[in-house]
Amino acid sequence: MKYGFIFTGSDPTLAVELAVLAEQSGWDGFFVWEGIWAVDPWSTLAAAAVVTERIRLGTMLTPVPRRRPWELAGQTMTVDRLSGGRVILSAGLGVPEDVEARFWIFETDPGRRVRAEQLDESLELMQELWQGEPFEHSGAHFRAARTEEMLPPPIIQQPRIPTWVVGVWPRLRSMRRVVRYDGWIPNYAPPGATGVAGPEAQQVHYTPEVAAEAIAWLHAERSAAGLADRPFDVVQEGTTTGTDAAADAALVRPWAEAGATWWLDSNWQVPADEVADYARARVAAGPPSPTR
């Protein structure tokens, strides 16, 4: 199990400070959120990259269909090179307009089906873009004409920047997208439900037992696809205290036993004016590892 901290605030200077503190305090990863009309996460992570040496850096998460894939490829490549190959890309469809209108103030939600198409095509296109070599692409949503000029440098990590993808269990079309990449960010649709469970319902219904079933399915599908020998992560997000080591370890342990490989600590309920103090204290306390 590796341990990451998600900074839920918006101050980029504080985020860079926390990334350094996280590395000093034994965390394995530091993540920031990505919004629409918000602090740019990749600029923040670029700054964090040059003042850290070990910790992995990423977003939680990037709404890939809302981005131009060539711009996202350039940003992630830049941070990958600045960090010496420590970037993770967390990719999802983005929140629907009927769930959070704030994220759709500049455009209209084309719907889940179109966003899913854009996610698939963007991720495929970025595989080429990250290599910094001539290629061409003609798809339903994007095109790329071949060029031999002004090519960017390639990413350091190969064959790609590790890409964690949101997948809704047990919706197989969604989960088969996850199979092709490098990690699973779980969402859960309980049997009989009309949609994905919200955050509170997820905490009730998405249990380590459900996770173990989904993880077994993922590993079987990856084996059938010839991907069993490639690294694959399973993410679990939650909130630990940083003050009660036994309770924190007890919270994380069932997820590790189910097959999760990353615990991401976050608390999205902390008021904005308290985020700085909370984040400094929680990061300094270190990860909820049973070996600490």
Side-chain angles (χ1 to χ4, degrees), residues 53-130:
E53 297 179 353
R54 175 191 59 81
I55 200 166
R56 298 194 68 89
L57 303 166
T59 53
M60 190 50 67
L61 48 74
T62 294
V64 172
R66 309 296 302 278
R67 305 293 310 279
R68 294 183 175 185
W70 47 91
E71 293 180 349
L72 181 58
Q75 289 174 311
T76 51
M77 175 275 291
T78 300
V79 181
D80 196 52
R81 294 184 69 88
L82 286 171
S83 67
R86 292 184 283 123
V87 169
I88 294 169
L89 173 64
S90 300
L93 293 179
V95 64
E97 187 172 11
D98 59 0
V99 173
E100 182 53 79
R102 165 61 177 80
F103 290 112
W104 292 95
I105 58 177
F106 302 111
E107 55 188 325
T108 300
D109 183 356
R112 183 180 183 88
R113 181 185 63 80
V114 172
R115 283 186 284 112
E117 292 176 356
Q118 292 171 330
L119 175 58
D120 286 331
E121 189 175 344
S122 293
L123 292 177
E124 292 172 4
L125 182 54
M126 287 173 66
Q127 312 305 301
E128 301 283 358
L129 292 163
W130 276 333

Side-chain angles (χ1 to χ4, degrees), residues 253-271:
R253 187 177 301 110
W255 297 103
E257 293 172 348
T261 63
W262 274 85
W263 173 270
L264 299 188
D265 223 278
S266 68
N267 189 338
W268 297 94
Q269 306 306 313
V270 177

Side-chain angles (χ1 to χ4, degrees), residues 120-195:
D120 286 331
E121 189 175 344
S122 293
L123 292 177
E124 292 172 4
L125 182 54
M126 287 173 66
Q127 312 305 301
E128 301 283 358
L129 292 163
W130 276 333
Q131 302 309 317
E133 297 178 351
F135 76 100
E136 57 188 49
H137 173 87
S138 179
H141 299 282
F142 306 107
R143 71 173 182 87
R146 185 180 179 87
T147 182
E148 308 273 346
E149 301 176 354
M150 300 177 66
L151 297 173
I155 56 173
I156 290 179
Q157 299 181 89
Q158 292 294 335
R160 61 172 165 253
I161 289 173
T163 304
W164 296 346
V165 181
V166 174
V168 182
W169 178 257
R171 294 182 180 171
L172 299 189
R173 178 177 295 182
S174 175
M175 295 298 290
R176 289 192 177 108
R177 177 185 298 117
V178 175
V179 168
R180 301 196 301 270
Y181 292 96
D182 311 300
W184 179 38
I185 303 170
N187 265 341
Y188 181 50
T194 57

